[in-house]
Amino acid sequence: MLCAMPDLRCVVPPAASREIRLTSWDSLRVIFKSPNPASCQPLQIIRVSGMSDSPILAPVLVVGAGLSGLVAALTLAKNGIPVRVVERNLEHRKGQRGAGIAPRTLELYHFLEVPEIEKHATLLPLVQTYHPGGVQPLETLPMMGPASDPTPSCPYINYLALGQDIVEGYLREQLAKYSCLVELGAEVLSLEQHAGHVEVRLAKTQGGHRTEKLERYDWVIGADGARGVVRKHLGVTFQGETRQEDDMLVGDFRIKGLDDQHWHMWGTIVAFRATPDLGKNGFVLFANARGIDMKKLAADHDALLEFLYSVIERKDLIIEEVYWVSEFRPNVRMANKFGEGRVFIVGGSVHSPTGGQGGNSSVQDAFNLSWKLALVMKGLSPPSLLETYNEERIPVIAEMLKLTTHLLDKSVEADRATTGKAFERGQEYFMLGVNYRGSRIVVDEFGAQTAGANPYVYLSAGTLQAGDRAPDSPGLEPMFGPREEHTSLFDVFRPWYHTVVIFTNGPSQARSTISALKKYPSTTIRSVLVYPKGSSGVKAVEGADFQLIDGGGHAYEWYGVVAGTTKVVVVRPDAVVGALVGGIDGLQQYFGQVLL
């Protein structure tokens, strides 16, 4: 299926767009342009003649329809890249699974324009532990710290929860707007890379009938898990350890008699988190006990209930329904590489669920890869840009494994009296400090940037460097137009262009920077002029996409701009600061590394 892209404009007459004679994807790229994604009208799926008279396949195949696969596909779709998503299972996965959504991931969902996730997600409930006997509360505390009010730089400041199956459903709905539907029952059997394409042998099961077919794609993204075919093809090895003694159980339940305001924990063995996603009396199970055969409990319903009742010591509770339950073994491992040639993986680790970092890290993998791949596919960036996917993400995943393994050890070693403390999480788990400082494609003329910097630091005002997450700045007032219309940088950042933010006192300094940007493709860059608070009488600068006043003063504070000076900030499509420079030379240095 060809996924028709809403941000593409057909430059041939509409009447001719239903049947186009093509001989290759190169000719398709000539026909479709993306001059202004915001104003383009949707195209319908086209049928291609001249190529065996069959529907044309997308140039990118995404294998696996979990969080990372769907985010990769949607990011590519937003960039105008047709994509095909296949999933070997015959049904979409059920279950809450990785329900925790880090603040940084909420930001990425905002940039991808999936508002349903934020709308329906809820705060994590307070953790409540129990004395022996399972009835009397021992202590009540927040797992991720007390709920906080948003700040100007961080509009998403709290960890939220929403079932992974629900999140994936919202992502699929967004993809469907691009005529891209997940194909269930489609299993990749083998891959073979060539100089200009990847041959994929795909088996499709439909109506009980199985067929196999050899197909060609320009690129393949594997989101099919640690045992997936894509990882095997790349020869990926998983470095680390297997924690066989720390097997866990996860599942979704309906329990009568347990209040729905808490995350209930009986020692470190059994925990039930209340969730509205499952309806009345809905709870998510997390169980961990050394010496217990978790595989047997997952398969034997009666043995499972006997085990749970023996731990929680609550005969008054009625386990009404078990939606699903599964064994989980905390392998603490990470891939030695995330891609090679024309094939990549997203979700490059297997780990303990403690810390809620796994699914969130996978989303960031997909975001980091997809904007780079889109530029390369459009012929706007060199293939070497894709090498930075490995270089930027591997250090982050390595640090994530250290953090989650530390929490796993704390939770396993804790007794009933220290359960609550063992599950406390610091702000580094919010992932707002995940950074690529030291990356070879970022440029910083102001900070002491060094390779090997901690990729998980928590940032504060005045510490911003190239490679860091780009802070938000609300209260930006349009220079021209109704002054009551306020905006924020987060309403400008999007994954299909770089945002060049120019802090300046007057138009004369800004004009030279705007002029320098004209040498780059206009579809990949959006320019924003930001004048200091209190500015007035400034003349318009031709060619700037936005001309704003920092009404709240937040932008100048968080981007470290001294009044009366000029600073240029390039924000990458993944909302990471690509460059902090003083002018045109630094700007050209950055884009010289990223664009052709």
Side-chain angles (χ1 to χ4, degrees):
M1 174 184 294
L2 170 64
C3 301
M5 316 314 300
D7 57 355
L8 294 179
R9 176 178 293 168
C10 188
V11 297
V12 297
S17 64
R18 295 183 180 178
E19 187 85 11
I20 303 173
R21 186 168 297 277
L22 301 175
T23 57
S24 70
W25 271 105
D26 289 335
S27 55
L28 181 63
R29 296 187 187 103
V30 170
I31 288 177
F32 294 116
K33 306 291 182 184
S34 180
N36 185 357
S39 64
C40 295
Q41 299 300 313
L43 290 172
Q44 300 300 314
I45 298 176
I46 63 171
R47 187 172 183 82
V48 179
S49 60
M51 295 178 69
S52 302
D53 196 31
S54 61
I56 191 168
L57 295 177
V60 181
L61 177 68
V62 175
V63 184
L67 283 180
S68 58
L70 293 172
V71 168
L74 186 55
T75 306
L76 287 167
K78 294 281 186 180
N79 274 275
I81 301 296
V83 59
R84 184 186 185 193
V85 184
V86 296
E87 168 60 51
R88 64 178 297 178
N89 293 318
L90 296 174
E91 297 180 347
H92 296 302
R93 289 186 300 179
K94 299 178 181 179
Q96 294 272 296
R97 301 182 188 273
I101 308 177
R104 177 55 172 168
T105 306
L106 288 166
E107 293 180 355
L108 301 185
Y109 288 145
H110 171 80
F111 302 139
L112 281 173
E113 302 173 312
V114 194
E116 297 85 357
I117 295 175
E118 177 187 355
K119 179 180 178 180
H120 294 285
T122 59
L123 287 170
L124 295 175
L126 295 175
V127 173
Q128 185 165 283
T129 63
Y130 293 89
H131 286 284
V135 177
Q136 185 66 31
L138 175 62
E139 60 179 340
T140 302
L141 71 165
M143 177 174 284
M144 290 291 185
S148 303
D149 293 328
T151 68
S153 66
C154 300
Y156 304 98
I157 198 63
N158 296 302
Y159 232 95
L160 300 183
L162 186 63
Q164 186 171 327
D165 51 349
I166 298 174
V167 173
E168 290 173 358
Y170 290 137
L171 292 171
R172 290 195 300 269
E173 288 176 5
Q174 290 295 321
L175 273 174
K177 295 178 181 179
Y178 296 81
S179 301
C180 186
L181 305 177
V182 174
E183 298 180 45
L184 297 171
E187 179 182 2
V188 171
L189 303 177
S190 64
L191 306 174
E192 184 175 335
Q193 289 205 58
H194 299 272
H197 67 277
V198 184
E199 284 191 347
V200 179
R201 183 164 293 280
L202 191 71
K204 189 76 179 285
T205 300
Q206 199 167 19
H209 182 63
R210 181 182 171 95
T211 58
E212 292 186 14
K213 192 175 181 181
L214 189 64
E215 300 172 344
R216 286 190 175 192
Y217 295 90
D218 289 347
W219 307 87
V220 174
I221 298 175
D224 51 346
R227 298 185 180 91
V229 171
V230 179
R231 283 164 167 76
K232 293 177 181 177
H233 163 78
L234 284 177
V236 169
T237 60
F238 280 88
Q239 303 164 342
E241 61 176 327
T242 298
R243 306 286 286 268
Q244 294 182 339
E245 71 278 13
D246 294 327
D247 277 11
M248 303 175 182
L249 279 181
V250 292
D252 294 348
F253 289 67
R254 190 166 73 245
I255 303 175
K256 186 177 181 179
L258 194 60
D259 82 74
D260 61 0
Q261 302 301 308
H262 293 95
W263 193 327
H264 303 273
M265 291 188 180
W266 290 268
T268 60
I269 301 177
V270 170
F272 279 110
R273 174 176 60 83
T275 173
D277 302 342
L278 298 172
K280 186 178 180 181
N281 299 331
F283 290 86
V284 178
L285 167 69
F286 174 86
N288 176 26
R290 286 182 172 175
I292 301 295
D293 188 347
M294 294 295 181
K295 186 181 290 293
K296 177 183 176 182
L297 295 184
D300 188 331
H301 188 98
D302 292 335
L304 171 63
L305 296 183
E306 182 180 352
F307 164 73
L308 293 175
Y309 279 119
S310 70
V311 174
I312 64 179
E313 304 175 285
R314 294 282 298 274
K315 298 299 183 182
D316 60 310
L317 302 182
I318 301 174
I319 299 178
E320 297 180 309
E321 186 173 359
V322 179
Y323 292 103
W324 73 277
V325 66
S326 176
E327 176 201 17
F328 183 93
R329 175 165 294 173
N331 294 299
V332 183
R333 298 180 180 274
M334 66 173 288
N336 64 322
K337 59 183 177 181
F338 288 3
E340 187 175 280
R342 292 178 168 269
V343 180
F344 301 89
I345 61 172
V346 287
S349 66
V350 286
H351 48 82
S352 161
T354 53
Q357 302 293 281
N360 294 287
S361 292
S362 296
V363 167
Q364 293 184 34
D365 285 350
F367 222 71
N368 185 290
L369 169 64
S370 297
W371 73 265
K372 297 172 182 176
L373 180 57
L375 285 176
V376 171
M377 292 185 65
K378 293 175 182 178
L380 301 175
S381 293
S384 60
L385 179 64
L386 297 173
E387 297 171 4
T388 66
Y389 171 53
N390 269 314
E391 296 167 6
E392 292 185 343
R393 291 303 296 167
I394 284 180
V396 172
I397 299 302
E399 186 65 23
M400 182 269 285
L401 285 177
K402 291 180 184 178
L403 291 171
T404 56
T405 303
H406 173 66
L407 287 179
L408 174 63
D409 292 337
K410 281 177 59 179
S411 64
V412 169
E413 294 167 3
D415 56 24
R416 186 181 292 268
T418 60
T419 297
K421 298 296 182 183
F423 279 87
E424 284 184 324
R425 311 290 185 258
Q427 287 185 319
E428 64 270 24
Y429 293 91
F430 289 15
M431 307 182 85
L432 295 170
V434 169
N435 65 86
Y436 308 127
R437 294 179 177 182
S439 169
R440 63 178 161 117
I441 59 168
V442 303
V443 177
D444 196 323
E445 295 182 344
F446 298 92
Q449 198 179 24
T450 57
N454 185 342
Y456 254 82
V457 297
Y458 190 75
L459 305 180
S460 57
T463 65
L464 188 71
Q465 294 184 23
D468 292 347
R469 157 198 172 270
D472 193 15
S473 299
L476 300 175
E477 304 166 355
M479 284 289 297
F480 310 100
R483 294 297 291 270
E484 64 272 13
E485 290 185 8
H486 291 66
T487 188
S488 73
L489 288 179
F490 272 21
D491 290 333
V492 177
F493 300 156
R494 287 297 179 267
W496 53 87
Y497 50 71
H498 282 78
T499 304
V500 179
V501 186
I502 305 165
F503 293 91
T504 182
N505 270 346
S508 59
Q509 296 168 315
R511 287 192 185 99
S512 60
T513 304
I514 294 296
S515 179
L517 292 176
K518 292 180 180 179
K519 66 182 291 187
Y520 306 111
S522 60
T523 57
T524 66
I525 295 175
R526 181 170 287 187
S527 58
V528 182
L529 303 187
V530 181
Y531 297 101
K533 183 177 180 179
S535 297
S536 62
V538 180
K539 294 182 179 180
V541 175
E542 185 179 353
D545 294 300
F546 293 89
Q547 300 182 61
L548 309 169
I549 297 174
D550 188 14
H554 306 302
Y556 272 71
E557 176 188 6
W558 273 89
Y559 283 87
V561 185
V562 177
T565 65
T566 296
K567 178 180 280 190
V568 180
V569 181
V570 181
V571 179
R572 306 185 332 182
D574 55 354
V576 167
V577 176
L580 285 173
V581 298
I584 296 173
D585 290 344
L587 192 69
Q588 292 176 338
Q589 181 184 349
Y590 172 76
F591 282 117
Q593 298 173 150
V594 174
L595 300 177
L596 288 172

